[in-house]
Amino acid sequence: MSPKHSPLADEHAALGAKLVDFGGFEMPLSYPEGTIAEHLACRRAVAAFDVSHLGTVRVTGVAAFDLLQESLSNDLRKVAPGRAQYTHLLDDEGGVLDDIIVWWVDEDRFDVMPNASNTDRVRAAVGGDDVTAERAVVAVQGPAARETLAKVALEAAGVRRFGVVGFDYEGARCVAAGTGYTGEDGVECAVPADAAPAFWRAVLAAGAQPAGLGARDTLRLEAGLPLHGHELGPGITPLEAGLGWVIGWDKPTFRGRAALERIRSSGGPARRLVGLLTHQRRPPREGDVILRAGSAIGRVTSGNYSPVLERGIALGFVPAATAEGDEVELDLRGNPAAALVVKPPFQRLDPDTGAPRT
Amino acid sequence: MNVPDDLRYTSDHEWAATEGGRVRVGITDFAQDALGDVVFVQLPDTGTTLEKGGPLGEVESTKSVSQIYAPVSGTVVEVNTGLADAPEQVNAEPYGSGWLVVIEPSDLSQLDGLLDAAGYRAATA
C-alpha cells in the first residue's frame, strides 16, 4: 500500500525533513535542526507539528451525542459544545482499543480524533464520516505558542485550555482546540487542505520551530503521556494506566463498563504505570526488564533520553504496591542501571532526587 | 554527504585514519545523519583487544541503537572520553571531535581491505 500524504508534504520536503512511515502516512521524523533542538524549542519557546496523520471522524446529527456516550468511556456531560474531551474506545474486557480526543465543535457536530492507524476501527464503532483527507492539523505548542499563533490567527490563539473555537484563515473555515501532546500549553488547528500550506508557512514565519514525530515522541514521553500501542492497548485498562478519570462511571452504560466494574470491585488493578528516572544518559528502550531486589517486576513500555533532564527516562508497568521514591533496576540490554520510581511529568522533576522542582 | 578522500571506510559506516602506525576510528557523516541526534556512546576501555569486524561499541540516538564494529584487529590505546558528556560531537564533527577510539593494529595491512572514499561513496549512493 502506498503511503498517504499530509497536505503539507511539499512543505516538509522543502524544509529538508527526514520522512518516516507512521500509521500509513509518510510524515516528518525530524528537520535539519534535529530532534533534540526541536524538543527544546517546544519546551522553551514554540514548535509547530504537522499532525495531519491523526484521524478526524465527523459525527453529526441529533443522535450523535447518545451514540458517543454509549461508544466511548468518558462522559460528555462533564463538558459542553465548544470543549474538547480526552476519552477511550474500550473493548469488552476494558482494554483500550484507542485513545481519542473529541472536539465538540457545535451542538450536533463532534470531530472525533483517533490515532492514525485506528481511524477505521473508531469509525466502525461511532459511525460518522472520515474527513481526515480534507484537512491538515497543525499543533502549535510551547510557552510562546499563543503569542506566536496570535500573529497568524488571533481567535485561534485565544482558545482556552481544552476549548474548541471556529476561526477563519484567509477565507477558509478552520477549527482550533486548546489541546496538545507535549506537556506544554498550545493550540491544535484543523485547517482545510487547500489553505494549510499558507497557514503552516505563516506559523513558521511567526517564529515556530518545525518539529517532527521524533520530538513529538520525546516530548510526550518526558511529559508522561501514554502512547497507544505502548502504554495503552488491548489487554491494558485505563485503570492500570492511571487514567481512571476517563471512565464515565456516572453513565448507565458504555462498552467495557462491566469489566472495569469487576476490576474495581475486586480491589483494583494488579499493576500500574509509573515513571522511571535513571541516573545516566543511556536511553531505556521498550521491552527492557524492570527488576527489584534481583527479580523481574515489569517491563519498559517506552523509554528514551530526556533532553531536559539529560538522563535516560522510561514508562513501564510495575506491581500496584510500587510507590514513588522506590528504587528499582533496569536491564538496558545487558547493562544494569539504577532507576527511581517517579511521577511524571519528568521535565518538572529534580533529576537527582526525582521530586518536583520548586 | 561528506566523505573525506584520505580515509578508509567499512560497509558498516565506520571510518579509519592512519596516524603513524595507529588507526583512529569513528562513524561516517552518512551514519550520523541516518542515526539522528546521538545521545549516548558506549566505548571500550583502553587496553581492550578488538577483532576486525567484531563489536567495538554502541552509538545510541533518540530513535535507535547502532552497533559499531572494529575496522581492524588490535588493542585500544585511546578513547574519546569527551563523548560521555558531549555525545552530540558525533553529529557535529563525525571526522573530528566526534572520533571514537584509537587502535594499535596487530596487522596494519588489514586497512588495505577497506573501502576507499570512492568505494564508500558508491556504497552509500
Side-chain angles (χ1 to χ4, degrees), chain A:
Chain A
M1 196 178 81
S2 65
K4 290 179 264 192
H5 290 93
S6 153
L8 300 174
D10 291 347
E11 302 300 312
H12 305 316
L15 290 165
K18 278 187 208 170
L19 302 173
V20 65
D21 179 87
F22 189 83
F25 280 79
E26 190 176 70
M27 297 300 290
L29 175 69
S30 60
Y31 297 86
E33 291 82 358
T35 294
I36 291 177
E38 296 164 21
H39 179 116
L40 293 174
C42 182
R43 285 274 178 260
R44 292 168 182 168
V46 54
F49 304 77
D50 178 8
V51 292
S52 301
H53 59 288
L54 299 177
T56 298
V57 176
R58 185 160 295 157
V59 185
T60 57
V62 290
F65 177 89
D66 287 339
L67 183 63
L68 295 179
Q69 282 289 78
E70 287 167 21
S71 307
L72 304 175
S73 67
N74 212 336
D75 191 343
L76 284 166
R77 291 175 301 182
K78 294 186 215 165
V79 293
R83 302 289 288 169
Q85 184 179 61
Y86 178 72
T87 187
H88 287 173
L89 174 67
L90 302 176
D91 61 23
D92 292 331
E93 283 72 52
V96 183
L97 292 174
D98 199 18
D99 66 326
I100 295 163
I101 293 269
V102 174
W103 293 7
W104 194 344
V105 180
D106 287 314
E107 187 68 39
D108 291 339
R109 174 184 156 191
F110 298 85
D111 284 355
V112 178
M113 316 268 286
N115 284 292
S117 54
N118 291 333
T119 301
D120 289 341
R121 180 189 274 181
V122 169
R123 205 176 74 83
V126 303
D129 300 314
D130 181 355
V131 299
T132 305
E134 296 173 13
R135 91 297 180 259
V137 180
V138 176
V140 185
Q141 302 280 304
R146 289 170 188 274
E147 64 184 81
T148 304
L149 189 57
K151 298 175 197 164
V152 179
L154 197 58
E155 290 165 281
V159 68
R160 62 179 168 150
R161 190 99 186 111
F162 276 86
V164 178
V165 293
F167 71 98
D168 288 314
Y169 178 73
E170 298 193 342
R173 194 63 188 152
C174 308
V175 180
T179 52
Y181 192 48
T182 60
E184 298 296 329
D185 187 26
V187 182
E188 295 180 302
C189 302
V191 181
D194 289 349
F199 182 81
W200 168 260
R201 285 196 291 266
V203 168
L204 299 193
Q209 163 70 48
L213 292 180
R216 184 169 161 83
D217 192 50
T218 52
L219 285 158
R220 73 91 195 166
L221 173 65
E222 205 173 63
L225 299 171
L227 174 62
H228 194 262
H230 297 259
E231 289 73 38
L232 298 172
I236 304 173
T237 68
L239 293 169
E240 292 171 310
L243 297 171
W245 55 271
V246 308
I247 304 168
W249 291 115
D250 292 340
K251 292 196 293 184
T253 180
F254 60 89
R255 191 177 177 199
R257 182 184 172 117
L260 295 178
E261 273 177 0
R262 280 196 300 276
I263 295 166
R264 189 170 66 159
S265 63
S266 65
R271 57 179 189 163
R272 72 185 191 104
L273 187 67
V274 295
L276 300 161
L277 171 64
T278 76
H279 308 288
Q280 38 104 68
R281 296 180 63 113
R282 187 195 297 267
R285 305 280 181 187
E286 182 180 7
D288 288 345
V289 174
I290 307 165
L291 302 108
R292 189 161 191 189
S295 301
I297 59 166
R299 280 183 190 273
V300 167
T301 48
S302 294
N304 212 321
Y305 168 79
S306 161
V308 169
L309 299 185
E310 301 184 339
R311 304 281 179 93
I313 59 170
L315 298 173
F317 286 100
V318 294
T322 313
E324 271 89 43
D326 286 357
E327 288 177 11
V328 297
E329 188 173 274
L330 303 182
D331 179 359
L332 307 182
R333 289 85 66 201
N335 304 285
L340 206 53
V341 176
V342 298
K343 185 175 175 55
F346 289 97
Q347 74 272 16
R348 302 211 187 107
L349 302 179
D350 180 305
D352 296 320
T353 65
R357 264 190 286 219
T358 49

Side-chain angles (χ1 to χ4, degrees), chain B residues 50-61:
Chain B
L50 302 175
E51 288 294 318
K52 176 179 161 72
L56 183 157
E58 286 176 356
V59 176
E60 298 206 23
S61 70

Side-chain angles (χ1 to χ4, degrees), chain B residues 34-76:
Chain B
L35 273 168
D37 285 349
V38 173
V39 295
F40 180 79
V41 179
Q42 176 165 299
L43 296 175
D45 295 330
T46 54
T48 304
T49 306
L50 302 175
E51 288 294 318
K52 176 179 161 72
L56 183 157
E58 286 176 356
V59 176
E60 298 206 23
S61 70
T62 52
K63 72 175 197 210
S64 63
V65 185
S66 189
Q67 282 279 347
I68 309 302
Y69 301 98
V72 294
S73 300
T75 304
V76 176

